[in-house]
Amino acid sequence: PKSTCLRFPLRPEEALLIMIPAMFGFSLGISETYMTILVKTLEWATLKIQKANADERTLKASASNGLIQREDGSMEKELEELRRSRPKPPVGGDFTLSDCFYFTRKGIESIVEDEVTQRFTSEELFSWNLLTRTNNDFQYISLKLTLVYGLGIFVRYCILAPLRITLACIGLSWLVIGTSAVGLLPNSRIKSWLSEWVHVMCYRICARGLSATILYHNRENKPKKGGICVANHTTPIDIVILCNDGCYAMVGQVHGGLMGVVQRAMVRSCPHVWFERAEMKDRHLVTKRLRDHVNDKTKLPILIFPEGTCVNNTSVMMFKKGSFEIGATIYPVAIKYDPKFGDAFWNSSKYSMVSYLLRMMTSWALVCNVWYLPAMHQQEGEDAVQFANRVKSAIAHQGGLVDLQWDGGLKRAKVKETFKEQEQKKYSSMVVGDDSSSNSD
Amino acid sequence: MGSSSSSMDHIPNAEELMQETGFSAAHLLRLYERFEFLDKDQTGELRPEDFGAIGGLALNPIGDRIISAFFSPGQETVDFPSFVRVLAHFRPNGTNRTRNGTQQEPVNSRTRKLKFAFQLYDQDRDGKISRAELLQVLRAMLGIQVTEEQLQSIAERAIQEADLDRDDAISFDEFKKVQQVSPHPQTPTKETPLHPTEGGR
């Protein structure tokens, strides 16, 4: 499958040495060795830094903490503190002029740093992983460390990156060619089996192309046909990660260009759900198509990311309820990346897709854990939103991520009025009490 | 901190700002990054809409007032030095550094904080919180959760309690006095019976 017009930086034998294990899912032990060396090197580098400037790092680490002294008490607790020993007046509500301090402080805190946008910047690392792109800028500690860093750059840009780009191209081309070829066959069990094999193989090659090490847990809970697989979203690479271990039907918008070619090829060999842009607006149509797909038990489980956007893998944002209204079995999956080896988060406002992929290919590696959670069903008397939240909590809990109530769309849109009303309600219950009849005249 | 000084070059008059506000270089840098983040269209200045995009602020009942506190009267934009100067009022006390010892009153003193809060109420900057202004803030904080009568009675009591010179408005000194009623744990004002009828709490 030499279908690219790049000049290959490796000889065909070398390429096959990497591809064949990838295609057939076994390993020659090379990547394990690489990872062991990598881990040892990073540990050494971290120790060096820790020894050299301990208080310098604490200063930087506390920069964010020292800027805000968060008192994470509840509204009630903090207002109590502010009011302190003032006796509660018998009439006229329990209000003091100092109550506004609480709201002021909260407001200023959120100006300096707020929970939502914090989730959209990359997780700050407190040790240095020999990549300047993580938050600690390059510090000159010793000659040895600088040399290792320089060597690291050489290895990453001149050896690893070309290798990975080649593999990615091979993987993608093979995906297009393989699925088109399978698509020519008449519908039969052979066709489905071949289609799955082609898909998985291509994703495996792509995973090799990112030096991805993936650990799957609880594989007995793997999503089955006729269900919907739901996962937290950090990067488009999530798809590669999940598809290395199983076959899913994708859901998404039809794109033009290269993506469009890939999409059209994929759908020839097995059914995926691609929507035209106009169709996406029509919620009933979307729900209907998903439902039809799910009810057909021969079709693969659908893969959906209900957050609707990429989050930086420290927390899980609000799930959109669309997928939970269909009434199918939900298979939750939690994905957690190890930030030591490279930051997998795609900050779509900062990087384009291409520059993001290049960054991934010049990182050390991609290490992640995938947990398959037991299937969940919508229970009696539970509406779609509650169901979505229940699934979200399960995923957050398993992945060690923070379960946030915020909507991922918040990073672009404005917050709804109802949140403000909730704050007002809480405050008013402190001022006038819960039954309004207690304060008259 | 060799690396941070190179990014400090982006910040105009960084040294002066650090002296004036008492922020450390690391904090200033972080605030600058935050400023740039909020400045969506990269104009170098913030507008009220840029603040409005902050989730935590949008749900704050007095969020609008806090936002307008950053803008001087008549100004529609706020630049980085002004942004930092306002935030400096809330700098945590632990990081107080006296640069050359000649600071009469630290920027984040209690009085400055009180002044900030006072101006949240006193929107027309006439130096007094009128009944109408108090009602506006109360309405903002309580929303539709209370009736008009309840609102009036709350405002009434608050003014009676604070207004010592009986001019039906609360001046800054009266405002400060009210805060002093909430004392530190050492001063047992609660225990001292002010009126014989209240005694024995």
Side-chain angles (χ1 to χ4, degrees):
Chain A
K2 267 197 182 196
S3 51
T4 60
C5 46
L6 293 172
R7 279 183 48 233
F8 279 19
L10 7 109
R11 297 195 295 274
E13 312 85 76
E14 288 171 2
L16 278 177
L17 205 60
I18 297 174
M19 270 182 59
I20 292 190
M23 282 158 61
F24 293 97
F26 62 84
S27 160
L28 290 174
I30 301 176
S31 28
E32 279 78 3
T33 324
Y34 167 67
M35 291 301 285
T36 323
I37 299 177
L38 190 61
V39 168
K40 288 217 156 40
T41 316
L42 292 182
E43 277 173 5
W44 172 82
T46 310
L47 273 161
K48 273 280 187 183
I49 296 178
Q50 278 175 344
K51 267 193 288 189
N53 45 358
D55 40 19
E56 170 117 29
R57 278 198 336 113
T58 49
L59 193 69
K60 268 201 176 214
S62 68
S64 58
N65 300 337
L67 202 49
I68 297 179
Q69 273 172 343
R70 274 194 195 280
E71 289 160 56
D72 283 317
S74 64
M75 191 196 280
E76 290 84 0
K77 190 160 145 281
E78 294 202 37
L79 284 176
E80 289 280 317
E81 289 260 322
L82 282 171
R83 289 168 177 178
R84 223 109 36 143
S85 53
R86 225 192 86 245
K88 185 177 157 80
V91 293
D94 194 4
F95 163 76
T96 73
L97 290 165
S98 53
D99 284 352
C100 78
F101 289 0
Y102 167 77
F103 291 111
T104 310
R105 201 172 54 71
K106 284 273 172 206
I108 297 285
E109 274 175 11
S110 61
I111 290 178
V112 176
E113 180 181 81
D114 72 276
E115 254 194 358
V116 177
T117 45
Q118 236 194 332
R119 304 296 165 192
F120 293 105
T121 50
S122 300
E123 198 179 356
E124 294 196 349
L125 284 176
F126 288 125
S127 65
W128 190 30
N129 60 356
L130 293 171
L131 299 168
T132 47
R133 62 185 67 148
T134 52
N135 291 4
N136 284 342
D137 292 300
F138 176 58
Q139 308 170 44
Y140 183 81
I141 311 284
S142 73
L143 187 62
K144 232 197 268 180
L145 198 59
T146 315
L147 281 178
V148 171
Y149 172 66
L151 183 65
I153 292 192
F154 174 73
V155 168
R156 281 187 294 126
Y157 281 83
C158 303
I159 299 183
L160 291 179
L163 180 62
R164 287 169 179 172
I165 295 176
T166 312
L167 281 176
C169 291
I170 294 177
L172 213 57
S173 327
W174 178 237
L175 183 67
V176 173
I177 296 174
T179 49
S180 305
V182 172
L184 295 172
L185 296 174
N187 281 343
S188 63
R189 278 196 50 195
I190 306 269
K191 179 180 182 184
S192 325
W193 184 82
L194 269 178
S195 153
E196 285 190 29
W197 188 66
V198 167
H199 274 100
V200 171
M201 188 187 354
C202 300
Y203 286 118
R204 286 218 179 103
I205 297 179
C206 289
R208 281 277 190 271
L210 294 163
S211 297
T213 302
I214 312 169
L215 275 167
Y216 298 98
H217 306 267
N218 307 330
R219 294 184 69 223
E220 65 273 8
N221 293 325
K222 254 177 70 169
K224 302 187 182 45
K225 292 191 175 153
I228 300 183
C229 174
V230 151
N232 59 310
H233 201 28
T234 307
T235 153
I237 298 178
D238 286 339
I239 301 175
V240 173
I241 303 283
L242 286 178
C243 287
N244 256 276
D245 192 38
C247 232
Y248 299 93
M250 308 287 158
V251 177
Q253 219 181 306
V254 170
H255 288 91
L258 181 62
M259 269 299 282
V261 171
V262 175
Q263 283 178 322
R264 279 193 294 277
M266 283 169 71
V267 89
R268 269 182 223 131
S269 65
C270 75
H272 297 278
V273 188
W274 303 125
F275 290 104
E276 299 290 332
R277 203 187 175 85
E279 288 175 321
M280 293 285 294
K281 303 277 172 69
D282 185 351
R283 281 201 44 203
H284 290 295
L285 180 66
V286 170
T287 314
K288 182 175 181 309
R289 276 186 69 181
L290 290 176
R291 193 174 277 144
D292 290 341
H293 184 114
V294 156
N295 287 334
D296 183 346
K297 297 297 176 199
T298 62
K299 294 193 179 163
L300 298 165
I302 300 181
L303 178 58
I304 290 187
F305 297 105
E307 281 165 306
T309 184
C310 291
V311 183
N312 78 347
N313 208 233
T314 58
S315 62
V316 184
M317 296 240 151
M318 195 169 95
F319 278 4
K320 294 196 176 8
K321 61 178 172 138
S323 2
F324 300 91
E325 288 175 324
I326 299 175
T329 311
I330 300 281
Y331 296 93
V333 177
I335 308 176
K336 176 85 174 116
Y337 292 88
D338 190 340
K340 267 212 300 280
F341 299 95
D343 178 20
F345 166 55
W346 180 33
N347 191 341
S348 53
S349 50
K350 219 172 158 186
Y351 303 107
S352 71
M353 172 69 107
V354 175
S355 57
Y356 166 71
L357 284 174
L358 284 175
R359 272 170 63 97
M360 281 297 101
M361 292 186 180
T362 52
S363 296
W364 287 116
L366 209 65
V367 176
C368 67
N369 285 290
V370 175
W371 288 273
Y372 294 107
L373 296 165
M376 288 178 152
H377 299 90
Q378 193 169 4
Q379 283 166 354
E380 285 294 320
E382 193 181 39
D383 70 6
V385 174
Q386 290 166 328
F387 182 34
N389 282 335
R390 197 159 57 88
V391 174
K392 179 162 78 78
S393 302
I395 292 182
H397 183 71
Q398 178 63 271
L401 306 162
V402 176
D403 185 6
L404 284 186
Q405 296 308 314
W406 290 104
D407 186 348
L410 270 182
K411 76 177 181 187
R412 296 177 223 111
K414 290 187 130 167
V415 79
K416 295 195 184 65
E417 270 299 306
T418 44
F419 285 123
K420 195 187 225 175
E421 270 180 39
Q422 278 176 20
E423 289 290 300
Q424 288 169 331
K425 219 177 185 159
K426 269 201 302 195
Y427 178 60
S428 75
S429 69
M430 291 201 68
V431 174
V432 297
D434 286 312
D435 58 27
S436 45
S437 58
S438 63
N439 278 291
S440 48
D441 63 68
Chain B
M1 280 209 258
S3 59
S4 51
S5 58
S6 53
S7 344
M8 291 287 277
D9 297 339
H10 297 302
I11 306 175
N13 311 321
E15 273 299 314
E16 287 173 35
L17 271 179
M18 276 162 63
Q19 283 214 16
E20 196 184 322
T21 59
F23 281 121
S24 69
H27 285 174
L28 202 67
L29 190 60
R30 192 162 176 98
L31 287 175
Y32 188 70
E33 285 167 3
R34 180 71 176 160
F35 183 85
E36 285 197 306
F37 172 80
L38 293 172
D39 181 15
K40 296 282 181 239
D41 37 13
Q42 305 291 322
T43 53
E45 291 183 323
L46 294 180
R47 265 183 300 280
E49 307 87 73
D50 295 321
F51 284 98
I54 303 173
L57 205 56
L59 67 72
N60 193 311
I62 51 171
D64 299 325
R65 287 174 179 255
I66 297 176
I67 294 174
S68 49
F70 282 85
F71 297 84
S72 317
Q75 291 273 357
E76 286 187 9
T77 58
V78 59
D79 59 8
F80 181 66
S82 319
F83 179 70
V84 172
R85 281 191 200 110
V86 173
L87 289 178
H89 295 316
F90 297 89
R91 177 168 54 78
N93 276 318
T95 58
N96 247 333
R97 339 170 146 206
T98 42
R99 287 284 166 147
N100 41 18
T102 51
Q103 291 211 337
Q104 327 109 304
E105 189 193 12
V107 146
N108 64 340
S109 70
R110 188 168 166 74
T111 314
R112 295 288 186 108
K113 286 188 175 96
L114 288 174
K115 187 86 190 174
F116 185 87
F118 184 79
Q119 282 177 342
L120 284 180
Y121 287 100
D122 179 26
Q123 291 283 293
D124 60 5
R125 308 286 166 109
D126 64 352
K128 290 185 183 305
I129 304 176
S130 66
R131 184 183 298 266
E133 286 172 330
L134 184 59
L135 277 169
Q136 272 177 7
V137 177
L138 280 172
R139 184 50 88 190
M141 292 204 282
L142 294 165
I144 53 170
Q145 308 298 325
V146 296
T147 65
E148 190 61 35
E149 296 95 47
Q150 284 172 318
L151 210 65
Q152 292 284 351
S153 88
I154 295 171
E156 185 60 46
R157 192 194 47 74
I159 290 189
Q160 275 191 7
E161 203 178 86
D163 185 17
L164 301 171
D165 60 4
R166 299 282 157 231
D167 62 350
D168 217 31
I170 305 174
S171 71
F172 185 53
D173 290 319
E174 290 165 348
F175 186 74
K176 276 200 290 189
K177 282 222 172 55
V178 173
Q179 314 315 323
Q180 273 155 13
V181 173
S182 26
H184 302 290
Q186 303 89 284
T187 37
T189 328
K190 189 160 83 170
E191 270 64 78
T192 334
L194 295 166
H195 309 284
T197 46
E198 267 193 46
R201 263 188 189 250

